[in-house]
């Protein structure tokens, strides 16, 4: 009897996004242009689902773009190829730079908080010794000693603040520049670190915090979002928001719907499911609610800057004297021994050979000079930093106006006035155009009038209004409870 057999097709194995992207990276090396999912599947030898997942990973990694055709097909666009943004500096070199900066900060902290005070004491002691050595008539020693001990007392008082009988847990108003609120006390070495390197930058949101904010925004918007929603929450440019959305599609199991007019709607149905009776997450605030500010030169009160600068200047003068007089350790000891022997009527011994003083001269002079040079360089860049902060506030004002209004076109004069209100000054030649382009807008002419056109944002806004209106409320439901382990 004849037998027949049937073979079941194996279940498809889905690749991880990173694995699929690695395969496509090799296949698309040197490629520039647009791809469909089918194109990527053919070039990489992948299943369609894996090719789509890998393409989304590449878009998020290389800041590609998503587009749509008149037939509603999704296009993955890489006009510059697979080139990472700002990839001029190798990653390993950036790590070395960060490590070097960390070591530099540690060295400077130790140098200023310990060594600078130590050198002040050393140079003070030397000043006393040299004054006593040269004071043959008994005049001038008391004045020199008084000056030196006053400098040392000030250094010790400010360095070891808790031992002062006038110790305060907060800055007094007169030292804090007249601010009404008393500021918490900052350790001396932290003030030195701010004096040299400037105040620490404002921490950026972590990846987890940004992911949480975007998830909250998606749930607030009925699981339907677009590029404008990501820009509103994060403050990223349109290109960067495109890349973030591709990552969200992978992380939140989303999908893309292409409307008839070519707008892209990112749909996250599973992220809407909740077991809560009502949402406990508030919608994230738009990024333009906060203002960009230029970092101050030191961020210290004036009294702290004067103290640190005074100690440093004292060390520069002391090390400069040592350099000018060739005051090596050997010659210093010889001078003191000679003075003592001359006082007893003993003939002085021959001086040691001349040399470059390192410990008392070159080393403290170079380091102390650097402590003045670094804040001086920052003060020279302060004006450009303020202008960058003003330009960012102008961009935020334009973003608030455009993303909230959602119009197709805006007169140039209208956005010019908006930018000026945010920045507090008139924009330079390209500052307004750069702000508009970061939102995906373009310059255009309507007759004799100059306008800025936001075609993609307008199409996206209309599509999202329809999609959110049609979103089913039952998508939020996780279903009825049918089993619990405690029963």
């Amino acid at each position: 009897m004849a037998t027949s057999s049937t073979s079941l097709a194996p279940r498809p194995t889905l690749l991880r996004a990173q694995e699929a992207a690695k395969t496509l990276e090799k296949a698309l090396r040197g490629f520039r242009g647009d791809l469909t999912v089918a194109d990527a599947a053919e070039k990489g030898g992948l299943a369609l689902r894996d090719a789509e997942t890998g393409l989304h990973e590449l878009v998020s990694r290389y800041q590609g773009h998503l587009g749509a055709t008149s037939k509603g097909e999704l296009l993955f666009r890489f006009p510059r190829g697979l080139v990472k943004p700002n990839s001029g500096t190798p990653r390993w070199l950036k790590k070395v730079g960060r490590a070097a900066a960390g070591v530099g900060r540690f060295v400077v902290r130790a140098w200023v908080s310990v060594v600078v005070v130590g050198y002040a004491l050393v140079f003070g002691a030397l000043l006393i010794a040299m004054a006593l050595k040269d004071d043959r008539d008994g005049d001038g020693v008391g004045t020199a000693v008084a000056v030196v001990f006053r400098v040392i007392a000030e250094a010790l008082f400010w360095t070891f603040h808790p031992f002062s009988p006038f110790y305060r847990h907060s800055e007094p108003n007169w030292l804090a520049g007249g601010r009404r609120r008393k500021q918490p006390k900052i350790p001396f070495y932290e003030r030195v670190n701010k004096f040299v390197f400037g105040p620490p930058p404002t921490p950026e949101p972590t990846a987890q915090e940004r992911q949480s904010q975007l998830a909250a925004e998606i749930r607030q918007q009925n699981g339907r979002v677009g590029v404008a929603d990501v820009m509103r929450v994060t403050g990223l440019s349109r290109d960067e928001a495109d890349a973030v959305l591709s990552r969200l599609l992978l992380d939140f199991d989303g999908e893309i719907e292409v409307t008839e007019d070519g707008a892209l709607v990112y749909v996250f149905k599973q992220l809407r499911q909740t077991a809560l009776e009502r949402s406990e997450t508030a919608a994230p605030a738009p990024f333009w609610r906060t203002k960009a500010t230029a970092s101050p030169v030191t961020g210290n009160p004036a009294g702290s800057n004067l103290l640190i600068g005074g100690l440093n200047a004292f060390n520069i003068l002391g090390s400069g004297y040592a350099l000018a007089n060739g005051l090596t350790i050997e010659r210093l000891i010889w001078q003191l021994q000679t003075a003592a022997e001359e006082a007893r009527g003993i003939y002085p011994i021959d001086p040691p050979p001349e040399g470059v003083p390192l410990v008392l001269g070159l080393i403290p002079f170079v380091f102390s000079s650097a402590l003045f040079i670094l804040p001086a360089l920052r003060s020279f860049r302060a004006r450009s930093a303020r202008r960058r902060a003003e330009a960012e506030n102008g961009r935020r004002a334009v973003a608030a106006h455009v993303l909230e209004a959602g119009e197709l076109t805006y007169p140039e004069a209208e956005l010019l006035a908006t930018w000026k209100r945010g920045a507090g000054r008139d924009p330079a030649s390209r500052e307004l155009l750069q702000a508009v382009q970061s939102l995906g807008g373009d310059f255009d002419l309507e007759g004799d009038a100059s306008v800025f056109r936001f075609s993609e944002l307008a199409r996206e806004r209309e599509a999202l209004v329809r999609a959110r209106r049609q979103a089913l409320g039952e998508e939020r439901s996780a279903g009825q409870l049918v089993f619990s382990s405690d029963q």
Side-chain angles (χ1 to χ4, degrees):
M1 183 176 66
T3 60
S4 62
S5 63
T6 59
S7 60
L8 297 177
R11 296 180 62 186
T13 302
L14 300 181
L15 296 178
R16 294 176 56 193
Q18 292 82 357
E19 296 173 351
K22 187 176 181 180
T23 301
L24 288 177
E25 255 182 327
K26 296 178 181 178
L28 298 176
R29 188 169 297 163
F31 172 82
R32 291 185 181 183
D34 300 345
L35 287 168
T36 64
V37 174
D39 293 330
E42 181 267 328
K43 289 180 177 295
L46 299 174
L48 290 175
R49 177 62 179 174
D50 293 333
E52 183 177 6
T53 302
L55 284 172
H56 282 298
E57 174 70 20
L58 292 180
V59 168
S60 65
R61 187 181 303 174
Y62 296 106
Q63 288 192 6
H65 308 283
L66 295 179
T69 69
S70 58
K71 294 184 177 180
E73 291 294 330
L74 190 63
L75 290 181
F76 295 82
R77 315 191 68 190
F78 300 94
R80 295 185 302 160
L82 302 185
V83 179
K84 290 186 177 180
N86 302 324
S87 58
T89 305
R91 182 178 299 178
W92 66 269
L93 188 58
K94 291 181 180 179
K95 291 182 179 179
V96 171
R98 287 194 294 267
V103 172
R105 288 177 182 271
F106 172 78
V107 170
V108 171
R109 279 188 179 189
W111 171 264
V112 180
S113 59
V114 178
V115 183
V116 164
V117 176
Y119 263 112
L121 297 176
V122 169
F123 287 131
L126 289 178
L127 181 60
I128 296 175
M130 299 301 289
L132 291 174
K133 176 178 76 68
D134 296 332
D135 184 52
R136 302 183 185 277
D137 300 327
D139 297 330
V141 177
T143 302
V145 172
V147 171
V148 170
F149 273 105
R150 183 174 179 179
V151 172
I152 294 174
E154 289 290 328
L156 291 175
F157 174 82
W158 286 95
T159 304
F160 305 104
H161 222 87
F163 298 104
S164 168
F166 306 103
Y167 173 70
R168 299 173 64 106
H169 290 276
S170 59
E171 288 284 4
N173 288 337
W174 63 269
L175 191 59
R179 292 188 296 269
R180 292 185 179 180
R181 284 190 174 184
K182 296 182 179 181
Q183 303 296 320
K185 178 182 175 295
I186 302 175
F188 179 70
Y189 72 90
E190 287 290 350
R191 301 186 190 201
V192 170
N193 191 49
K194 292 166 66 176
F195 181 88
V196 178
F197 288 106
T202 304
E204 295 290 336
T206 64
Q208 290 77 13
E209 290 172 342
R210 176 174 288 179
Q211 191 92 324
S212 176
Q213 290 177 337
L214 291 173
E217 177 69 11
I218 292 171
R219 300 185 81 171
Q220 290 287 334
Q221 301 296 344
N222 290 347
R224 277 74 175 168
V225 294
V227 179
D229 299 299
V230 176
M231 290 193 292
R232 180 172 56 252
V233 173
T234 63
L236 298 174
S237 67
R238 185 173 183 87
D239 292 346
E240 294 169 331
D242 256 337
V244 169
L245 275 169
S246 289
R247 168 58 57 187
L248 294 178
L249 288 173
L250 299 175
D251 293 342
F252 296 148
D253 199 17
E255 57 187 18
I256 297 178
E257 293 181 357
V258 182
T259 64
E260 293 180 355
D261 55 356
L264 301 182
V265 177
Y266 295 79
V267 182
F268 301 89
K269 295 180 181 179
Q270 293 191 19
L271 193 58
R272 296 191 65 196
Q273 293 182 357
T274 179
L276 304 174
E277 294 183 1
R278 57 183 178 180
S279 176
E280 298 179 354
T281 305
F287 81 98
W288 53 76
R289 293 282 179 84
T290 58
K291 293 290 186 180
T293 56
S295 180
V297 177
T298 66
N300 284 330
S304 297
N305 290 333
L306 288 175
L307 170 67
I308 298 170
L311 285 176
N312 207 40
F314 179 71
N315 288 339
I316 288 180
L317 292 175
S319 58
Y321 175 84
L323 283 172
N325 293 273
L327 199 61
T328 62
I329 298 294
E330 293 81 4
R331 291 187 69 86
L332 174 64
I333 296 174
W334 171 78
Q335 289 185 12
L336 296 177
Q337 288 178 345
T338 300
E341 291 174 353
E342 285 181 345
R344 296 197 302 268
I346 303 175
Y347 188 76
I349 60 175
D350 294 333
E354 294 183 356
V356 178
L358 295 177
V359 177
L360 297 177
L362 188 60
I363 293 176
F365 188 84
V366 170
F367 272 90
S368 299
S369 299
L371 298 188
F372 276 139
I373 292 173
L374 291 176
L377 292 176
R378 286 200 312 277
S379 66
F380 291 147
R381 297 196 299 264
R383 183 175 182 275
S384 60
R386 285 196 300 270
R387 288 191 66 84
R388 286 195 299 270
E390 292 167 354
E392 173 60 21
N393 287 327
R395 185 185 80 90
R396 296 184 183 192
V398 171
H401 186 70
V402 170
L403 295 181
E404 288 184 342
E407 301 293 336
L408 175 61
T409 59
Y410 298 86
E412 182 182 17
E414 180 180 340
L415 293 192
L416 183 65
T418 302
W419 197 100
K420 184 177 180 179
R421 282 197 303 272
R425 61 173 174 84
D426 291 322
S429 57
R430 287 191 56 82
E431 285 179 325
L432 177 59
L433 181 59
Q434 289 172 348
V436 169
Q437 289 176 341
S438 71
L439 300 173
D442 295 303
F443 179 78
D444 200 359
L445 292 174
E446 286 187 352
D448 295 333
S450 300
V451 299
F452 290 106
R453 189 179 302 277
F454 297 85
S455 303
E456 294 182 6
L457 284 179
R459 286 199 304 269
E460 179 186 277
R461 183 182 181 89
E462 294 178 1
L464 285 171
V465 170
R466 292 194 301 268
R468 289 165 183 164
R469 188 184 303 121
Q470 296 170 2
L472 301 177
E474 61 188 29
E475 290 176 358
R476 297 184 70 252
S477 174
Q480 296 294 324
L481 178 66
V482 295
F483 172 77
S484 176
S485 60
D486 63 348
Q487 295 177 355

